[in-house]
Amino acid sequence: MTNYITSNPELEYLSPGRTMEIVLEAINEIIPYELAVILNLEDEGSLKVKFAKGSLINEKLKSFEILLDNRPDIREVMNKGSVKLVEETAVDDHQDTYEDVLDLPTGHSCMLVPLSINGNPLGLMTLDHRQCDMFTPQRVNIAGTLSKLISLALAQANRTDSLISEKETLIFERNSLIGDISTIIEGLVGRSPVWLQIIEKIKLVAPTESHVMILGETGTGKEQVAKAIHALSNKSSNPFITLNCSAINLNLAESELFGHEKGAFTGAVSVRRGRFELADGGILFLDEIGDLPLEIQPKLLRAIQEGTFERLGSENSIKANVRIICATNINLEQKVKEGKFREDLFYRLNVFPVILPPLRERGDDIEILTNYFLDKLAVKFKKEKISITNEAMKSLRSNTWQGNVRELQNTLERAVILSKGGVIKSSHLLFEGVIQPEIKQTKEKLESYQEESTKIIIRALKLAEGKIYGAGGAAEILKLKPTTLQSKIKKLGIKLNSSIIK
């Protein structure tokens, strides 16, 4: 039998599923079975599998449904309300309870236990064992007594499901009333039609339990979208754990994701909880999912499917209820075709894709984002107000923004540093990857690293008027530590004289 442990047993929430699992484990100690199934009575006159336990469980069983109009024998058992032993025979007209789902031998043990409260039918419990004559009259009587306890657990589960459904409906309604999502998560501003479609998708998927795959170019705001989904979900008060898959060391990937026990490997001096375990009850954000090592993907797939995993160096299974949001800027379907990403994991994660548009396709959002970032930068640099000229705004609109929103933010921050007076002009805009107007493009060969580095540093010094330290200094422009810049200046033999700043 699998040993289940939790990250914090004394604070574990006893969910309806866990309650039913405990009940079925207790029944197995009194009435040995290989399969126990709890079927819920639906309004449309059918029985649907709600819980199952035992060694005979398979994928087909989880979605199994019995139409009572087609099974008068089972309807009769439920109407009578008493336990029945089914005599499995080889006669032509006999129909197994789980025909076409399970291949059980003729004559195997099968018990039908109707579930009800105060005479009101709730569902049915079935117990099966491949060995014949396992269910003695005494065990049948015990099953009848225990059916009351199981009925209460099933009623609790149904009530909880109803409350969850009501809560999701309320969250949907609340999300639909939120006009500006940037009041929830910073940076998600815009009014272009393509962006408003993204906002609506976020509002729709957030209250559900569905996994989400966020696709888009670098700098489009994938992590911010993930945070918005978390904030608008019913898990908003639970953990939001992030893991950048491109930064995982291959040798430590399993430990990083699932944790390890003390002594699991050299250097494992204590027990460590992995990101999946830390995200229990909340959301795990897997950034750059396309870079997840292929070797760890089967274990992640199992953890998502079954909700259980083992720490490295342990045989004990840990249960965790985790919703996955992942993000990538690469074509995962192509990686699947190349055999570099598991197809089954891709489809498990790609339940609800959200494709973020590049900034160049968002039209007037560039101006809205610019004003938004300038307000933030005014606070950061302790300026009363930062404005931008029409000419500079026109330059921003005409740029291709290969780095998207992140590039826009960096460009504006550089411009604020260079503007000094609080008014950004075109000359203050240093676009990434674009040669500035004052530098003539030539066909000269690229010079050595030292020579090119010297040119860049001298240019920064000129822009900063010879200043290295502090706001607007060359170190800040180059995003280097002042001491590092001084060291490079000395190493490259750059002389800080009056000509350097003219």
Side-chain angles (χ1 to χ4, degrees):
M1 185 181 294
T2 304
N3 294 319
Y4 289 107
I5 64 173
T6 60
S7 57
N8 199 342
E10 67 273 14
L11 296 178
E12 180 187 6
Y13 167 64
L14 199 59
S15 66
R18 181 58 182 147
T19 300
M20 188 64 78
E21 186 176 30
I22 292 171
V23 171
L24 293 178
E25 285 175 354
I27 290 175
N28 195 36
E29 294 177 5
I30 306 170
I31 309 174
Y33 60 76
E34 290 182 313
L35 177 65
V37 180
I38 306 297
L39 298 108
N40 189 57
L41 179 61
E42 305 293 322
D43 293 335
E44 59 270 22
S46 65
L47 292 168
K48 290 184 179 179
V49 173
K50 194 172 184 74
F51 302 101
K53 190 168 181 64
S55 59
L56 299 180
I57 294 175
N58 61 28
E59 284 298 319
K60 287 184 178 180
L61 182 68
K62 294 177 182 179
S63 58
F64 183 70
E65 179 179 3
I66 297 174
L67 297 177
L68 291 177
D69 286 343
N70 298 337
R71 295 300 303 267
D73 54 331
I74 293 178
R75 185 189 291 276
E76 183 182 0
V77 171
M78 295 188 63
N79 289 338
K80 287 184 177 180
S82 56
V83 181
K84 180 182 179 180
L85 278 178
V86 179
E87 296 181 3
E88 302 287 358
T89 65
V91 296
D92 293 339
D93 62 346
H94 174 74
Q95 186 176 5
D96 280 351
T97 308
Y98 300 110
E99 193 171 302
D100 300 327
V101 176
L102 296 172
D103 185 17
L104 296 172
T106 301
H108 75 272
S109 300
C110 178
M111 187 191 302
L112 303 181
V113 184
L115 304 175
S116 63
I117 293 180
N118 297 328
N120 298 314
L122 292 178
L124 181 73
M125 177 176 74
T126 66
L127 299 177
D128 288 274
H129 200 293
R130 285 172 293 186
Q131 184 176 330
C132 63
D133 300 326
M134 283 295 295
F135 303 142
T136 63
Q138 183 183 10
R139 286 172 175 169
V140 171
N141 291 333
I142 293 172
T145 302
L146 292 176
S147 68
K148 299 174 184 178
L149 176 63
I150 300 163
S151 297
L152 288 172
L154 180 58
Q156 178 202 15
N158 288 338
R159 177 58 181 157
T160 302
D161 287 347
S162 176
L163 290 173
I164 290 173
S165 179
E166 290 176 13
K167 183 178 180 182
E168 286 187 358
T169 300
L170 289 172
I171 293 174
F172 272 122
E173 292 177 355
R174 179 205 65 182
N175 290 353
S176 66
L177 295 173
I178 297 174
D180 186 0
I181 203 171
S182 65
T183 59
I184 307 296
I185 294 294
E186 289 189 358
L188 297 181
V189 296
R191 285 289 179 269
S192 63
V194 67
W195 185 247
L196 291 178
Q197 288 179 10
I198 296 298
I199 299 303
E200 287 306 309
K201 284 187 176 182
I202 293 171
K203 292 178 182 180
L204 283 172
V205 76
T208 71
E209 294 294 323
S210 299
H211 303 311
V212 180
M213 181 178 289
I214 306 171
L215 306 167
E217 296 179 4
T218 298
T220 49
K222 295 185 287 293
E223 184 170 355
Q224 295 303 97
V225 169
K227 289 179 178 178
I229 293 172
H230 175 254
L232 296 174
S233 73
N234 57 7
K235 299 179 183 291
S236 57
S237 59
N238 296 337
F240 179 83
I241 305 298
T242 65
L243 176 63
N244 190 320
C245 299
S246 63
I248 299 179
N249 182 305
L250 179 60
N251 297 324
L252 298 176
E254 185 174 354
S255 170
E256 191 69 36
L257 198 52
F258 300 109
H260 63 254
E261 297 290 335
K262 182 178 180 180
F265 52 86
T266 304
V269 295
S270 61
V271 174
R272 183 174 186 269
R273 299 165 67 197
R275 304 298 176 91
F276 204 91
E277 186 176 350
L278 291 171
D280 185 20
I283 288 175
L284 175 60
F285 176 55
L286 298 175
D287 199 8
E288 306 296 346
I289 185 67
D291 294 329
L292 184 70
L294 193 61
E295 294 80 0
I296 199 68
Q297 291 180 24
K299 189 167 182 177
L300 175 60
L301 177 64
R302 173 178 169 257
I304 295 172
Q305 287 178 330
E306 302 179 10
T308 62
F309 64 93
E310 295 81 33
R311 291 188 190 133
L312 188 63
S314 173
E315 295 181 354
N316 291 325
S317 291
I318 300 175
K319 301 196 76 175
N321 176 22
V322 178
R323 182 183 184 186
I324 304 292
I325 300 178
C326 61
T328 182
N329 61 356
I330 64 174
N331 188 336
L332 268 189
E333 290 185 88
Q334 184 60 38
K335 291 202 74 170
V336 169
K337 291 178 182 177
E338 295 171 356
K340 297 178 181 179
F341 198 90
R342 287 182 66 102
E343 184 177 23
D344 46 6
L345 179 59
F346 170 74
Y347 287 115
R348 179 65 64 172
L349 294 173
N350 194 31
V351 177
F352 191 91
V354 177
I355 305 173
L356 301 185
L359 183 56
R360 57 188 172 275
E361 295 179 5
R362 292 177 56 182
D364 292 339
D365 285 353
I366 292 175
E367 186 171 344
I368 295 172
L369 283 163
T370 296
N371 292 328
Y372 171 81
F373 286 131
L374 290 181
D375 287 342
K376 295 290 182 184
L377 290 168
V379 175
K380 179 178 180 178
F381 289 97
K382 299 178 180 179
K383 294 179 180 289
E384 186 175 339
K385 183 177 176 59
I386 301 174
S387 59
I388 184 168
T389 64
N390 292 333
E391 184 183 358
M393 183 63 76
K394 186 177 179 181
S395 297
L396 292 177
R397 283 176 171 275
S398 62
N399 191 45
T400 56
W401 300 114
Q402 296 302 311
N404 294 290
V405 178
R406 187 183 297 124
E407 182 186 350
L408 172 63
Q409 186 176 5
N410 291 343
T411 300
L412 291 172
E413 185 166 347
R414 280 195 296 269
V416 170
I417 294 170
L418 295 172
S419 65
K420 296 182 181 180
V423 178
I424 296 176
K425 301 176 182 177
S426 294
S427 59
H428 300 140
L429 299 175
L430 305 178
F431 296 117
E432 297 175 14
V434 178
I435 298 176
Q436 299 303 304
E438 64 269 19
I439 301 176
K440 294 182 180 180
Q441 187 172 3
T442 66
K443 294 183 180 180
E444 294 177 358
K445 292 183 180 180
L446 186 68
E447 297 182 24
S448 68
Y449 171 78
Q450 287 79 7
E451 289 171 319
E452 293 295 333
S453 297
T454 300
K455 289 180 182 179
I456 292 171
I457 292 174
I458 290 175
R459 186 177 170 213
L461 288 167
K462 286 183 176 181
L463 288 170
E465 298 181 352
K467 183 180 176 183
I468 296 177
Y469 287 80
E476 188 175 63
I477 293 172
L478 295 173
K479 296 190 181 302
L480 293 173
K481 291 182 180 179
T483 52
T484 301
L485 179 57
Q486 277 195 320
S487 175
K488 289 182 179 294
I489 289 172
K490 183 177 179 181
K491 185 176 180 179
L492 294 169
I494 299 173
K495 308 221 178 266
L496 298 175
N497 51 42
S498 57
S499 64
I500 203 91
I501 61 174
K502 289 183 181 178

